[in-house]
Amino acid sequence: MAEGRTTLEGYIRFLLRNRVIVLLLITLVTGVFAYGVYSLKIATDFFALYPPKHPYIQLYKEYRKMFGSANVLVCAVEVKEGDIYNLDTMGKIDRITQGLLETEGCNATQVISLTHPKLKNVNVTSWGIQIRPVMWPQFPQDDADLERIKTAVYANEGIRGFYVSPDDKAASIFAGFWEEGVNPIKLYERMMELKDAETDENTNIYFTGYPGLYAYIYDLRVQVYTVLAATMILMVILLGWYFRTWQGVVLPVLSALISAIWGLGFASFMGFPLDPLVMVVPLIITARALSHSVQTMARYHEEIIEHGVDQKEKAILRSYGELVTPATLSIVTDGLGVLLISIATIPIMRNLGIFCSFWIVSMFVSVPTLNPILLSFVRAPKPGRIAHETQGRFYKALAGLLVKPSEGKSRWAVAVLIVVVLVVGGRYSLNLKVGDTEAGAALLFPDHPYNESFRYFNRTFVGATQLVIIAEGKEKGAIKNYESLQVMEDFQRFMETDGGAGGTLTFTNMIKRIYRMFHEGHPKWEMIPETVEHLGQIGFLIASNTSPGEMDRWVDYSWTNGTITCFYKNYNNELIHNCIAKAQEFIDENPTEKIRFRLAGGLLGILAAVNEEVEWSYWASLIAVFVVVFFLCVLTFRSITAGLILIIPLAISQVLSEAFMLWKGIDLNINSLPVAAIAVGIGIDYGIYLLARISEVYETTGSYAQSNRKAVETTGKAIIFTATTLIAGVVFWAFIDLKFQAEMGLLLGLLMFLNMVNALVFIPSLVTIFRPGFVTARNV
């Protein structure tokens, strides 16, 4: 071990001999990355949320230009007294429709409402069968026009329940937005502008739908930045309280700042935008940088107290020489662990894994490389100023309490507790569900306007969320066939009865209405015509009475591909799974000659793809992280026992955090997965530093009990400080209006607490149980 220590101290000596050159190089590289930070984008790339290789996403991208975006904003105009058939309400519906059409990123062909020309009325007149907008021939001017509109609404299937509520007290407006074009900030401004302008004593305006969700989230971005800044400030204050020297504050903060510049600059150069929903991730990584710096500074202060100010260089060499190995191991395991998140095919997770891994690895430069150089330039603190770090009756009593379970027969009780927690907690945590447990509830609180609007819309209409099933023709004109149209209608009815849809729409709704007009409007003829001639006549009528693109949401211009749109009142994980399963069941049991049904478009199809990928990615990355951490620990300490000692407390923290998520109803989704995965590494940092300290102290004591106690009293104190610092900072997150960030703050605080307690209690106990050879080997 003396040879290894000499090698590590040689690295520190090299840094001190060439400190000016190394410092200039670090400054130069930091300046380059700082330039990148300046151009870093804080934005949501919606396509980065979709797994591109999933068949549902490939289907969506193939047909989105034809059938529209899955990113649909929904608005409801409600009257408190009377019904919507009055001039004032019609004007409000029309102005909101026009306002959304003029919003950046809106897909104009996907906007539809009662006053929009795309909503059709099929009727028979002295001039023959006509397909005209419901508003035809003019926007209502008097009661007679209003009555005409009401008659059209009642006469045409697919309007009431979808665009007008069954009680006539509300109307809906649908507007699709392109993922690559929507600006959530501008959309929020437009939503609020329309809501403020059109709300009065008799009218309520509601906005919901996926674009609206992100618009509301972006409105809370200032709160997120404020809380993040307040957390950082509190960390700095606590650093001052703990070290009580300017070096103890400046060096950890500088280390965290340099790592942040490198990490964020790297993200900018790679073209990775920073999503506002993962802003808690910088907090986690910053906490790691502070943790590494606090550990090294605390150890440096120990050496100063023991050998005096005159031995500054010796203190630097000994403290950083001893900690280079555990620091490097912690940083490498953290970095590789986070990099393994990128095994997911979802771009945002892959990008996050890559740039966060680089950010973490950069800590090797900002902490064990830069800190000894900076300390060499400044005067060492007087022992009297820092003596409090190794004194204090309260902490010594606490350390004794934490070490107590590792002594005597108590360690076997700890072993039983570990087994019970892993078995019982592990089985319970398997019930953790992927995806939102309730629409919008994962990100915003239940009383938020978005969730209130979502609940209102689903009480009033057939549903705000769409599942789109593609009927893909095997030949040109495949939809212009009785069997094809009939099976589409059968599929439509099946999804309404067995598939749980609140309502469905297909091209058959209009075809049946037109065919009924062939027979003077008699209700018994509202059916799909069986002959090619009749279907051809209907096709001619539609083509000659509609503008290009007006029917794209139902069928393409050649009648080769069509859609079945199912409306649902929620999009929780259970509903998504069930509706997709039912749709697949119908497809399997109803093979067709001319068309094939393909799943699944619309928001539900996208969320189904994301949920499947998130579930696979979570377990795959979690297993990979544990395997990599285990083998790196084994290689570093040259002991399988060391790997087990470090991995067991980590597994306990993971199991308990998953059980907590399940108990509190915290969803495991695309936003929370990276946070949960990145937070895993916090615990391994604590364990590595503590185990390395136990091994080091054993050299001089030859006693496991004394080594455990000394390690907990010294390294353990720094662990407790870094953990409690972040936990204290998490308090601010409880006051934020963004539920997801509040829950992630709570989860992060819990993980910090669990990792701290598990490291300080279980590692000493496991050391006394296993009596690992690598500890005693240092004493040879």
Side-chain angles (χ1 to χ4, degrees):
M1 296 307 293
E3 182 182 349
R5 183 181 301 127
T6 302
T7 302
L8 296 173
E9 288 186 359
Y11 173 71
I12 305 301
R13 288 183 190 278
F14 169 80
L15 294 176
L16 297 181
R17 283 198 307 268
N18 301 279
R19 60 183 184 173
V20 175
I21 296 175
V22 175
L23 187 60
L24 287 174
L25 285 174
I26 293 174
T27 304
L28 179 63
V29 176
T30 303
V32 173
F33 281 121
Y35 175 78
V37 174
Y38 179 76
S39 57
L40 179 68
K41 292 182 179 179
I42 299 179
T44 299
D45 180 355
F46 287 95
F47 272 121
L49 303 174
Y50 306 160
K53 296 181 180 180
H54 196 285
Y56 296 170
I57 303 302
Q58 291 177 340
L59 176 72
Y60 171 64
K61 289 183 176 180
E62 183 179 350
Y63 286 102
R64 67 191 288 265
K65 291 296 183 183
M66 183 185 305
F67 298 126
S69 169
N71 217 24
V72 179
L73 179 71
V74 182
C75 175
V77 179
E78 176 199 30
V79 294
K80 300 175 185 176
E81 301 293 335
D83 57 32
I84 64 169
Y85 300 107
N86 60 78
L87 297 178
D88 182 52
T89 302
M90 288 293 167
K92 292 178 182 294
I93 297 169
D94 189 55
R95 287 190 294 273
I96 293 174
T97 303
Q98 293 293 334
L100 293 177
L101 273 167
E102 296 167 1
T103 304
E104 181 178 329
C106 180
N107 176 15
T109 63
Q110 209 177 345
V111 175
I112 187 167
S113 70
L114 184 59
T115 64
H116 194 282
K118 188 175 284 188
L119 196 63
K120 301 298 184 181
N121 172 36
V122 180
N123 64 349
V124 61
T125 69
S126 58
W127 294 91
I129 298 173
Q130 291 185 333
I131 305 173
R132 296 286 186 264
V134 170
M135 291 288 110
W136 181 269
Q138 62 181 359
F139 192 82
Q141 305 295 319
D142 52 33
D143 290 343
D145 287 342
L146 293 168
E147 188 61 33
R148 169 179 51 77
I149 292 170
K150 185 175 182 178
T151 301
V153 168
Y154 274 73
N156 291 270
E157 183 184 2
I159 297 181
R160 294 186 73 237
F162 296 89
Y163 305 104
V164 177
S165 64
D167 61 2
D168 292 332
K169 295 184 73 64
S172 67
I173 303 160
F174 291 83
F177 284 82
W178 297 119
E179 288 90 344
E180 64 271 34
V182 64
N183 183 323
I185 297 174
K186 292 184 178 179
L187 177 58
Y188 178 81
E189 292 171 353
R190 179 57 54 86
M191 286 164 50
M192 294 303 102
E193 173 189 326
L194 294 171
K195 187 172 184 177
D196 293 342
E198 305 301 343
T199 300
D200 56 36
E201 63 276 1
N202 192 45
T203 308
N204 289 325
I205 307 296
Y206 303 90
F207 283 101
T208 188
Y210 219 57
L213 175 61
Y214 274 84
Y216 277 117
I217 289 170
Y218 268 75
D219 179 56
L220 297 172
R221 66 191 184 282
V222 175
Q223 280 192 31
V224 175
Y225 301 153
T226 302
V227 168
L228 194 61
T231 303
M232 299 298 183
I233 291 170
L234 179 62
M235 288 181 178
V236 173
I237 293 172
L238 290 175
L239 279 171
W241 173 82
Y242 181 76
F243 285 113
R244 302 177 194 177
T245 64
W246 69 266
Q247 298 102 316
V249 176
V250 173
L251 262 67
V253 171
L254 188 61
S255 298
L257 180 62
I258 289 174
S259 292
I261 291 172
W262 282 42
L264 296 175
F266 177 79
S268 178
F269 289 139
M270 293 293 290
F272 301 156
L274 188 62
D275 194 305
L277 282 177
V278 295
M279 290 300 289
V280 71
V281 169
L283 178 63
I284 300 173
I285 300 178
T286 300
R288 289 186 180 185
L290 288 175
S291 175
H292 291 304
S293 194
V294 167
Q295 289 287 350
T296 53
M297 282 293 295
R299 184 58 192 281
Y300 168 66
H301 285 174
E302 279 185 52
E303 296 295 333
I304 291 294
I305 292 171
E306 183 176 348
H307 300 291
V309 177
D310 296 337
Q311 301 294 319
K312 184 182 75 169
E313 184 174 343
K314 181 179 179 181
I316 293 173
L317 289 170
R318 182 164 176 80
S319 58
Y320 283 88
E322 285 287 352
L323 292 181
V324 165
T325 295
T328 302
L329 176 60
S330 295
I331 290 168
V332 171
T333 52
D334 286 355
L336 284 178
V338 171
L339 183 61
L340 290 171
I341 297 174
S342 62
I343 65 177
T345 60
I346 299 177
I348 190 174
M349 292 172 61
R350 184 179 65 243
N351 298 347
L352 197 64
I354 292 171
F355 103 78
C356 287
S357 176
F358 179 86
W359 186 344
I360 291 169
V361 171
S362 72
M363 293 176 194
F364 181 79
V365 175
S366 66
V367 180
T369 298
L370 180 62
N371 279 11
I373 292 175
L374 295 178
L375 286 173
S376 70
F377 281 105
V378 299
R379 182 179 299 176
K382 295 180 179 179
R385 293 286 305 275
I386 55 178
H388 65 279
E389 295 180 29
T390 57
Q391 298 174 355
R393 294 181 180 178
F394 171 77
Y395 185 75
K396 285 196 173 182
L398 179 60
L401 184 65
L402 292 169
V403 173
K404 190 70 176 176
S406 67
E407 299 172 347
K409 294 183 179 180
S410 299
R411 65 183 186 274
W412 300 111
V414 173
V416 172
L417 177 63
I418 289 173
V419 173
V420 171
V421 170
L422 288 176
V423 173
V424 177
R427 185 162 187 174
Y428 181 70
S429 65
L430 289 176
N431 296 319
L432 189 66
K433 292 182 179 180
V434 176
D436 297 340
T437 54
E438 183 182 342
L443 302 178
L444 299 168
F445 288 103
D447 59 350
H448 190 277
Y450 171 85
N451 285 322
E452 291 180 343
S453 298
F454 190 85
R455 289 191 293 269
Y456 168 79
F457 194 93
N458 289 301
R459 286 196 309 268
T460 309
F461 298 92
V462 295
T465 311
Q466 300 176 11
L467 169 68
V468 178
I469 301 162
I470 302 295
E472 187 177 69
K474 299 177 183 179
E475 59 186 45
K476 189 174 181 179
I479 302 296
K480 198 179 291 185
N481 174 272
Y482 171 74
E483 288 76 16
S484 299
L485 292 168
Q486 187 59 59
V487 76
M488 288 177 67
E489 184 177 39
D490 292 343
F491 203 162
Q492 180 182 2
R493 301 309 171 206
F494 176 83
M495 294 304 291
E496 289 178 347
T497 54
D498 291 30
T504 60
L505 288 175
T506 68
F507 195 39
T508 61
N509 297 102
M510 178 173 284
I511 290 174
K512 291 190 298 180
R513 175 69 178 170
I514 295 172
Y515 191 57
R516 174 179 171 180
M517 296 301 106
F518 280 10
H519 299 84
E520 300 181 351
H522 197 290
K524 84 169 188 176
W525 292 100
E526 189 154 327
M527 62 178 68
I528 300 172
E530 298 184 15
T531 67
V532 176
E533 290 78 10
H534 283 149
L535 286 172
Q537 290 172 354
I538 291 173
F540 174 77
L541 276 171
I542 292 173
S544 59
N545 282 271
T546 59
S547 301
E550 281 194 327
M551 292 294 107
D552 280 357
R553 61 196 174 111
W554 306 131
V555 68
D556 63 15
Y557 72 98
S558 65
W559 286 50
T560 302
N561 304 303
T563 64
I564 301 170
T565 304
C566 308
F567 293 81
Y568 286 87
K569 297 179 181 291
N570 211 323
Y571 54 82
N572 60 53
N573 43 42
E574 184 177 356
L575 183 146
I576 293 172
H577 180 270
N578 290 342
C579 73
I580 294 289
K582 282 296 181 181
Q584 189 61 55
E585 177 187 327
F586 181 90
I587 293 171
D588 293 340
E589 295 178 358
N590 295 272
T592 57
E593 180 183 352
K594 293 183 178 295
I595 60 174
R596 68 175 65 87
F597 292 110
R598 294 180 62 187
L599 298 176
L603 180 60
L604 288 182
I606 287 175
L607 292 179
V610 170
N611 288 350
E612 288 178 14
E613 180 61 27
V614 165
E615 184 168 17
W616 178 87
S617 298
Y618 179 71
W619 295 112
S621 61
L622 199 63
I623 292 170
V625 167
F626 273 83
V627 170
V628 168
V629 166
F630 175 76
F631 278 107
L632 284 175
C633 292
V634 169
L635 289 173
T636 302
F637 288 98
R638 299 178 186 179
S639 167
I640 293 177
T641 306
L644 290 173
I645 290 173
L646 290 169
I647 214 72
I648 288 173
L650 195 63
I652 292 172
S653 297
Q654 188 64 29
V655 165
L656 291 178
S657 66
E658 288 173 356
F660 177 79
M661 289 175 69
L662 185 61
W663 173 53
K664 295 293 290 183
I666 298 176
D667 304 321
L668 180 62
N669 52 40
I670 192 172
N671 299 306
S672 61
L673 187 151
V675 177
I678 290 173
V680 170
I682 297 175
I684 202 66
D685 290 352
Y686 296 161
I688 289 171
Y689 278 114
L690 188 67
L691 189 58
R693 184 63 164 158
I694 290 172
S695 179
E696 179 193 343
V697 174
Y698 191 88
E699 274 193 82
T700 56
T701 64
S703 165
Y704 286 112
Q706 293 181 37
S707 301
N708 287 338
R709 185 175 293 272
K710 179 67 174 177
V712 173
E713 287 179 353
T714 54
T715 301
K717 188 172 185 180
I719 290 172
I720 290 175
F721 168 73
T722 55
T724 52
T725 296
L726 186 56
I727 292 170
V730 165
V731 172
F732 293 115
W733 293 82
F735 299 100
I736 199 169
D737 291 332
L738 188 55
K739 181 187 175 186
F740 170 76
Q741 299 288 13
E743 287 184 339
M744 288 304 98
L746 179 63
L747 179 63
L748 181 58
L750 175 70
L751 280 168
M752 293 296 289
F753 177 77
L754 289 175
N755 286 324
M756 174 188 71
V757 173
N758 290 344
L760 297 177
V761 174
F762 291 139
I763 285 182
S765 298
L766 291 170
V767 166
T768 56
I769 291 172
F770 290 116
R771 295 181 175 270
F774 75 92
V775 171
T776 56
R778 286 187 59 129
N779 205 30
V780 176

